[in-house]
Amino acid sequence: MSDKKFVLTPKKRTYTKARSEPVRIHKDSYNTLVDMANESTMSMSEIASKAIMFAYEHLSFGDKETEED
């Protein structure tokens, strides 16, 4: 098993009440998602959701950010 972690700097955001929210991603990330979907029977949204949950399970928080957007 890999010792690599997905590291984020904490920043307070609010939850949505909607069923789904649009999220903008970089072109390279989208193209990688397309490649993943082309090799799978899962939809792109299912793959993205599963990838996010995997990243969350392997998440490590870095130093707290002092400024908010």
Side-chain angles (χ1 to χ4, degrees):
M1 186 94 200
S2 174
D3 290 339
K4 294 182 181 180
K5 293 285 184 183
F6 184 75
V7 180
L8 293 178
T9 301
K11 186 174 190 177
K12 197 66 168 171
R13 304 222 193 283
T14 59
Y15 291 110
T16 183
K17 292 183 172 96
R19 181 178 172 271
S20 65
E21 289 288 337
V23 176
R24 296 177 197 270
I25 60 175
H26 292 274
K27 181 180 81 170
D28 291 342
S29 299
Y30 180 85
N31 290 338
T32 299
L33 183 58
V34 168
D35 290 341
M36 294 167 76
N38 285 339
E39 297 294 326
S40 172
T41 59
M42 294 169 58
S43 70
M44 288 175 58
S45 63
E46 289 173 315
I47 294 168
S49 294
K50 194 168 187 168
I52 290 167
M53 296 310 294
F54 178 84
Y56 185 72
E57 291 170 4
H58 296 86
L59 180 62
S60 176
F61 288 103
D63 294 332
K64 286 191 176 185
E65 191 170 304
T66 56
E67 295 181 25
E68 290 189 24
D69 278 344

